[in-house]
């Protein structure tokens, strides 16, 4: 059950851990401060019943006072205790009434919340007395309620037994709805996900440190046994640990030193989706202040010197100071904090003109989260979400309010004309908050007609390929290995006339894991110094695995094909309105363009200048980028394959033994061969034809003329 020490987790925003005395070992209860803080949280999130059904009354005194936590372990324990009492609120109230404990003349209604949370902990301890330390701070209200409850322990235990018999339940867990029972089972087995802060340590160093601590790397979560871990299959910088090792790993220097950061996997998926949509020097926006660790992860994956991460909604000065200290400890130096909420920021704000991607993590119902306490504390969500999570469902009117707010935020993001992609992510199981919101936003057309429209794009991450008929959205159902995650990437349709540099394409390739072992951020000066030292060193620096170069070439192919596809589609749309032309014109001429100048080596990032297969990659990129735009006379439709033979072309040449020109005894002709389109049964010469040159010997009876043009 929640509330036990072994199940506690400590957030990543913490100082080096010392053994805390916040909660005592096993089932010996909590400190007084935990009870009083849990009562305050419960008072704010409890289920309020209609007036005609209220039997147990709660005062309002605790509502005005906010919880005061000594440390984060105390905070987590207080939330867990309050959430447990909330799930069993009806049961606990029935026990108080059935045992005649309530109403109680000696205890005011303002302390009813404290009674409920302490009653839950008392029955969880099998009605045994709490062990109290001499050094513990004493709170009079807590001691009074404890003494009164303990004096009624026999009647309270009997009332609990009658409730179990009434529900035919072996324990109180079986009284909960099935959805909540499954949620608790998933939460107990849910692995821990931690992303690597590469600003402080490399992946190889992390592996070495874990090996020193006795951890063994395995292939997948199914191989977990003892001190093991594995690499996440979607994100190349995320490690997965067994849930049973939570306390052990949180005491490691890797976590206390912010080299490994615990966070839900859904947030890492969203961050990598943003990274895959970025060019090398782009800024991006994190639309919600609550996602502090998400902003830090995004900063780690970006260029610290040329990119900025804008975080919206940092209202208070104290919170700004706290966040800056946190980011400094994590060595994230390119995060800018904005005081305005995201929807309050103008789309023409000069600070955001370089921003190309927006990450939207809107507040959602969160019913796909198996461990809600971790979710609320790490993502700084409203504790009011626990009210819905304790019931296993969300009221229809509240779901409608959430969906409307999500739609407004997404539509506001689409109004930023210079933004090229939007990543939308929730932890909800309801389509109303997921597919419906995205589809409504796309249908609204709020981006206007002066810019390229948005379209859905499959999310891309390292070591991952999405398959299936609905792969335009990424969805993870709640399971024993992950929480729920819905992810949608809205990208602007690429302008066919837009020129994309090799540098940006390689940045996207790096985001997809195709440039493993290669550093695309090396400066030119450093590279030149390396060249001066030794030419032999350059040869040794060649990547060991030629698969990397092959992946780069294939990626350049795909990127250029996607660019050309847009121009082909636009051409096909224009062809339908053009009348067919006579294909049998014998006077037609073909003008062959000269090959455009190849890409210069200087335009490539430094990491590729010494790559062995550079010439082949340049040729691939050249062929893809220098495709002639279709002309008006080329826009024609042919209903069946045809072959056109043009008149012989006689090419003059010079005799090597003299200056007199002669005519070659060979004829050349060109054939236009149509290639069947995979999308339609059309033949479009300007887009799909191949120009084939064949050679044929002239008949021997052909008269040779030294000057055929006279």
């Amino acid at each position: 059950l929640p509330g036990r020490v072994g199940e506690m987790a400590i957030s990543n925003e913490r100082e080096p851990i010392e053994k805390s005395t916040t909660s005592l070992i096993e089932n010996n209860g909590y400190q007084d401060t935990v009870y009083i803080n849990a009562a305050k949280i419960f008072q704010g999130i409890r289920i309020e019943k209609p007036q005609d059904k209220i039997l147990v009354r709660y005062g309002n005194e605790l509502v005005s006072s906010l919880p005061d936590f000594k440390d984060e372990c105390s905070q987590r324990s207080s939330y867990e205790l309050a959430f447990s009492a909330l799930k069993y609120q009806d049961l606990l109230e029935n026990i108080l009434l059935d045992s005649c404990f309530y109403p109680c003349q000696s205890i005011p209604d303002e302390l009813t919340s404290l009674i409920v949370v302490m009653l839950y902990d008392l029955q969880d301890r099998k009605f045994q007395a709490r062990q109290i330390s001499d050094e513990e701070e004493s709170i009079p209200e807590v001691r009074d309620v404890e003494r009164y409850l303990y004096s009624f322990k026999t009647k309270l235990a009997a009332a609990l037994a009658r409730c179990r018999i009434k529900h035919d339940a072996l324990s109180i867990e079986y009284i909960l709805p099935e959805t909540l029972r499954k949620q608790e089972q998933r939460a107990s087995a849910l692995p821990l996900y931690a992303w690597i802060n590469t600003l402080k340590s490399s992946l190889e160093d992390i592996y070495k440190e874990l090996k020193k601590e006795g951890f063994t790397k395995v292939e997948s979560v199914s191989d977990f046994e003892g001190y093991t871990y594995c690499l996440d299959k979607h994100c190349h910088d995320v490690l997965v640990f067994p849930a049973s090792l939570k306390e052990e790993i949180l005491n490691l220097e890797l976590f206390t030193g912010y080299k490994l950061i615990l966070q839900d996997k859904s947030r890492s998926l969203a961050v990598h989706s943003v990274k895959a949509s970025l060019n090398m020097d782009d800024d991006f926006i994190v639309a919600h202040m609550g996602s502090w660790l998400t902003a830090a992860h995004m900063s780690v994956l970006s260029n610290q010197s040329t990119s900025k991460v804008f975080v919206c909604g940092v209202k208070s000065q104290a919170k700004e100071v706290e966040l800056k200290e946190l980011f400094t400890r994590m060595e994230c130096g390119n995060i800018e904090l904005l005081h305005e909420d995201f929807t309050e920021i103008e789309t023409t704000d000069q600070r955001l003109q370089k921003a190309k991607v927006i990450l939207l993590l809107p507040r959602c119902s969160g019913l796909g989260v198996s461990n809600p306490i971790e979710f609320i504390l790490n993502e700084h969500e409203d504790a009011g979400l626990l009210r819905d999570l304790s019931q296993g469902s969300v009221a229809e009117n509240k779901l409608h309010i959430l969906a409307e707010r999500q739609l407004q935020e997404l539509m506001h993001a689409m109004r930023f004309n210079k933004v090229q992609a939007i990543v939308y992510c929730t932890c909800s199981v309801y389509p109303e908050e997921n597919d419906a919101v995205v589809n409504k936003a796309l249908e609204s057309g709020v981006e206007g007609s002066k810019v390229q429209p948005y379209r859905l794009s499959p999310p891309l991450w390292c070591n991952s390929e999405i398959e299936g008929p609905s792969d335009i959205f990424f969805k993870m159902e709640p399971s024993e290995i992950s929480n729920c995650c819905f992810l949608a990437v809205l990208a602007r349709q690429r302008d066919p006339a837009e020129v994309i540099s090799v540098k940006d394409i390689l940045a996207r390739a790096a985001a997809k894991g195709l440039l493993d072992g290669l550093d695309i951020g090396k400066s030119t000066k450093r590279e030149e110094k390396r060249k001066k030292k030794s030419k032999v060193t350059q040869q040794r620096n060649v990547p060991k695995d030629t698969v990397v170069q092959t992946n780069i070439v294939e990626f350049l192919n795909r990127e250029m094909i996607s660019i050309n596809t847009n121009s082909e589609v636009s051409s096909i749309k224009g062809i339908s309105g053009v009348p067919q032309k006579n294909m049998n014109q014998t006077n037609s001429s073909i003008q062959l363009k000269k090959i455009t100048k190849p890409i210069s080596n200087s335009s490539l990032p430094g990491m590729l200048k010494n790559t062995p297969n550079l010439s082949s990659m340049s040729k691939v990129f050249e062929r893809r980028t220098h495709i002639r735009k279709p002309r008006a006379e080329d826009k024609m439709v042919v209903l069946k394959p045809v072959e056109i033979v043009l008149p012989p072309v006689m090419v003059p040449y010079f005799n090597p033994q003299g200056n007199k020109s002669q005519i070659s005894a060979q004829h050349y002709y060109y054939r236009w061969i149509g290639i069947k389109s995979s999308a339609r049964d059309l033949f479009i010469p300007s887009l799909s034809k191949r120009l084939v040159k064949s050679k044929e010997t002239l008949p021997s009876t052909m008269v040779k003329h030294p000057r055929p043009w006279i």
Side-chain angles (χ1 to χ4, degrees):
L1 289 175
R4 304 284 61 84
V5 176
E7 296 180 4
M8 293 182 192
I10 301 175
S11 89
N12 309 92
E13 307 164 23
R14 55 191 169 80
E15 301 295 335
I17 301 174
E18 297 180 356
K19 292 294 183 180
S20 174
T21 59
T22 298
S23 53
L24 303 181
I25 300 175
E26 296 179 354
N27 292 346
N28 294 326
Y30 302 96
Q31 291 185 353
D32 290 7
T33 54
V34 173
Y35 290 118
I36 201 70
N37 286 328
K40 293 177 180 179
I41 296 171
F42 176 81
Q43 179 75 357
I45 64 176
R46 64 182 176 83
I47 306 298
E48 297 185 5
K49 299 180 180 180
Q51 288 292 331
D52 57 340
K53 294 184 179 180
I54 294 178
L55 299 177
V56 177
R57 299 187 178 276
Y58 298 83
N60 297 322
E61 182 177 337
L62 287 174
V63 176
S64 58
S65 58
L66 297 176
D68 183 18
F69 305 109
K70 287 185 176 180
D71 50 45
E72 294 184 15
C73 187
S74 170
Q75 180 187 29
R76 183 164 272 96
S77 299
S78 300
Y79 271 95
E80 288 176 344
L81 182 57
F83 184 53
S84 298
L86 181 64
K87 289 187 291 186
Y88 296 100
Q89 179 179 338
D90 288 341
L91 173 66
L92 297 173
E93 289 179 354
N94 289 333
I95 292 175
L96 292 175
L97 294 170
D98 189 26
S99 64
C100 299
F101 180 94
Y102 186 89
C104 177
Q105 300 297 330
S106 59
I107 299 180
D109 290 344
E110 283 73 17
L111 295 180
T112 303
S113 294
L114 181 61
I115 293 173
V116 171
V117 297
M118 295 192 71
L119 174 59
Y120 171 81
D121 182 61
L122 180 61
Q123 67 82 31
D124 193 44
R125 289 185 279 115
K126 308 300 181 186
F127 296 95
Q128 299 299 313
R130 177 171 65 115
Q131 296 182 6
I132 303 174
S133 172
D134 295 336
E135 299 178 356
E136 182 180 343
E137 178 185 357
S138 174
I139 299 178
E141 293 83 357
V142 173
R143 301 298 172 90
D144 291 343
V145 170
E146 183 178 26
R147 283 193 295 268
Y148 202 71
L149 283 171
Y150 198 71
S151 66
F152 270 79
K153 68 174 184 176
T154 303
K155 293 182 178 180
L156 292 171
L160 175 60
R162 286 191 291 272
C163 288
R164 288 171 50 193
I165 294 172
K166 179 180 178 180
H167 292 89
D168 193 19
L170 296 176
S171 64
I172 63 173
E173 289 84 359
Y174 291 93
I175 300 177
L176 293 176
E178 184 178 359
T179 55
L180 289 180
R181 293 204 305 271
K182 289 183 177 180
Q183 181 193 63
E184 290 187 349
Q185 292 173 0
R186 292 194 303 266
S188 62
L190 193 66
L192 306 174
Y193 292 86
W195 52 269
I196 299 171
N197 183 357
T198 53
L199 296 177
K200 304 198 70 170
S201 182
S202 66
L203 185 63
E204 291 75 16
D205 291 339
I206 295 293
Y207 288 162
K208 292 178 182 178
E209 289 294 325
L210 289 173
K211 188 175 182 179
K212 288 180 182 179
E213 297 291 341
F215 285 83
T216 303
K217 185 181 179 182
V218 296
E219 290 298 322
S220 65
V221 175
S222 59
D223 299 325
F224 279 171
E225 183 178 357
Y227 284 76
T228 54
Y229 71 97
C230 69
L231 190 65
D232 182 66
K233 66 178 182 179
H234 293 113
C235 306
H236 65 82
D237 65 341
V238 174
L239 303 182
V240 192
F241 297 88
S244 58
L245 301 179
K246 181 180 292 185
E247 281 196 71
E248 286 86 345
I249 66 173
L250 288 176
N251 283 292
L252 296 177
E253 191 276 334
L254 291 173
F255 287 87
T256 60
Y258 298 99
K259 297 177 182 178
L260 283 175
I261 313 295
L262 274 184
Q263 193 177 22
D264 187 66
K265 178 180 176 177
S266 63
R267 296 321 192 217
S268 295
L269 291 173
V271 166
H272 278 275
S273 296
V274 173
K275 176 62 177 174
S277 303
L278 283 173
N279 293 326
M280 293 194 68
D281 301 330
D282 292 342
D283 296 343
F284 40 92
I285 303 170
V286 179
H288 301 89
M289 181 198 69
S291 306
W292 302 341
L293 298 180
T294 304
H297 194 184
M298 198 67 256
S299 173
V300 168
L301 294 180
S302 65
N303 190 322
Q304 293 287 309
S305 59
T306 59
S307 296
K308 289 185 179 180
V309 182
F310 292 96
V311 182
C312 305
V314 184
K315 297 288 187 181
S316 67
Q317 189 70 25
K319 181 60 65 179
E320 182 177 358
V321 172
E322 177 186 347
L323 289 180
K324 286 183 177 180
E325 291 177 355
L326 170 66
F327 296 144
T328 300
R329 292 196 296 267
M330 298 178 73
E331 298 186 7
C332 299
N334 63 338
I335 299 179
E336 296 286 338
L337 304 178
L338 305 180
H339 297 287
E340 307 94 325
D341 288 331
F342 175 65
T343 53
E344 298 173 354
I345 298 177
E346 296 292 335
T347 58
T348 56
D349 194 310
Q350 292 301 314
R351 297 170 296 180
L352 308 177
Q353 293 309 298
K354 267 188 65 181
K356 300 300 181 184
V357 183
I358 297 177
L359 175 57
L360 277 178
L361 300 169
R363 180 182 175 186
C364 65
S365 60
L367 283 186
V369 177
S370 300
N371 47 355
I373 302 300
E374 295 289 337
F375 178 74
I376 287 175
L377 295 182
N378 286 344
E379 301 303 322
H380 303 277
E381 293 286 350
D382 185 4
L385 290 175
L386 295 175
R387 187 182 300 108
D388 298 320
L389 296 173
S390 68
Q391 304 299 307
S393 62
V394 178
E396 186 175 351
N397 60 337
K398 185 171 184 179
L399 186 63
H400 177 73
I401 294 173
L402 287 172
E404 284 296 322
R405 185 181 305 165
Q406 293 156 1
L407 179 61
Q408 291 176 4
E409 293 179 1
L410 181 54
M411 291 173 63
H412 183 67
M414 295 172 68
R415 292 188 179 97
F416 285 79
N417 291 339
K418 294 190 177 181
V419 169
Q420 298 300 310
I422 302 170
V423 177
Y424 178 87
C425 181
T426 74
C427 296
S428 174
V429 297
Y430 292 108
E432 291 87 344
E433 297 182 273
N434 299 334
D435 312 49
V437 170
V438 175
N439 290 329
K440 286 180 181 178
L442 290 173
E443 293 170 0
S444 66
V446 294
E447 62 267 36
S449 58
K450 295 183 179 180
V451 293
Q452 291 292 105
Y454 279 100
R455 59 177 175 80
L456 288 172
S457 176
L460 298 171
W461 308 289
C462 314
N463 309 324
S464 171
E465 289 186 5
I466 308 172
E467 299 178 356
S470 60
D471 60 1
I472 208 69
F473 297 119
F474 179 83
K475 299 178 183 179
M476 278 195 317
E477 297 297 330
S479 66
E480 292 185 352
I481 63 173
S482 65
N483 287 321
C484 175
C485 176
F486 171 84
L487 196 62
V489 178
L490 287 73
R492 291 195 190 276
Q493 293 183 7
R494 194 171 292 170
D495 189 350
E498 178 185 2
V499 177
I500 300 179
S501 66
V502 181
K503 181 180 178 183
D504 291 337
I505 291 180
L506 291 175
R508 296 177 187 175
K512 298 174 186 178
L514 300 178
L515 305 181
D516 291 340
L518 300 178
D519 187 2
I520 65 174
K522 302 281 185 182
S523 64
T524 306
K525 293 182 180 179
R526 188 180 303 176
E527 182 187 353
E528 290 176 354
K529 290 180 181 179
R530 204 182 301 131
K531 285 182 179 179
K532 292 179 181 179
K533 288 182 179 179
S534 174
K535 293 183 179 180
V536 179
T537 308
Q538 293 179 355
Q539 298 176 357
R540 293 179 180 176
N541 287 337
V542 173
K544 297 179 180 180
D545 194 354
T546 57
V547 177
V548 175
Q549 283 79 22
T550 305
N551 289 339
I552 297 172
V553 173
E554 293 176 355
F555 177 77
L556 290 174
N557 273 324
R558 291 195 301 270
E559 285 292 319
M560 292 300 99
I561 288 173
S562 64
I563 296 174
N564 299 330
T565 301
N566 289 330
S567 61
E568 291 182 8
V569 171
S570 61
S571 299
I572 291 173
K573 291 180 179 179
I575 287 172
S576 59
V578 178
Q580 294 186 7
K581 293 186 178 181
N582 186 4
M583 295 293 293
N584 297 323
Q585 298 176 357
T586 59
N587 294 329
S588 301
S589 61
I590 304 173
Q591 182 180 1
L592 300 178
K593 287 190 175 181
K594 294 182 180 180
I595 298 176
T596 311
K597 183 180 179 180
I599 299 172
S600 63
N601 195 8
S602 62
S603 65
L604 291 172
M607 49 74 62
L608 281 182
K609 292 182 182 178
N610 297 324
T611 305
N613 294 337
L614 176 61
S615 60
S616 62
M617 289 190 299
S618 297
K619 291 177 181 178
V620 171
F621 185 80
E622 180 185 330
R623 288 197 301 268
R624 296 298 179 187
T625 54
H626 297 137
I627 295 178
R628 179 172 56 87
K629 291 186 178 181
R631 297 173 300 183
E633 58 269 20
D634 292 333
K635 297 180 179 180
M636 54 191 69
V637 179
V638 183
L639 299 180
K640 60 182 180 179
V642 295
E643 181 175 313
I644 300 175
V645 179
L646 299 178
V649 179
M650 293 174 289
V651 182
Y653 71 98
F654 291 94
N655 190 336
Q657 298 179 357
N659 295 327
K660 291 185 177 181
S661 299
Q662 295 183 359
I663 300 300
S664 172
Q666 294 176 333
H667 273 184
Y668 294 87
Y669 69 91
Y670 293 86
R671 289 187 299 164
W672 293 33
I673 299 176
I675 299 177
K676 188 172 182 178
S677 172
S678 59
R680 306 180 185 180
D681 295 332
L682 299 177
F683 294 88
I684 307 170
S686 64
L687 300 176
S688 61
K689 58 176 178 283
R690 292 186 295 114
L691 192 59
V692 181
K693 183 174 75 173
S694 299
K695 186 163 55 179
E696 182 180 31
T697 305
L698 287 170
S700 58
T701 58
M702 178 69 70
V703 178
K704 299 181 180 179
H705 198 292
R707 298 181 179 179
W709 54 86
I710 297 179

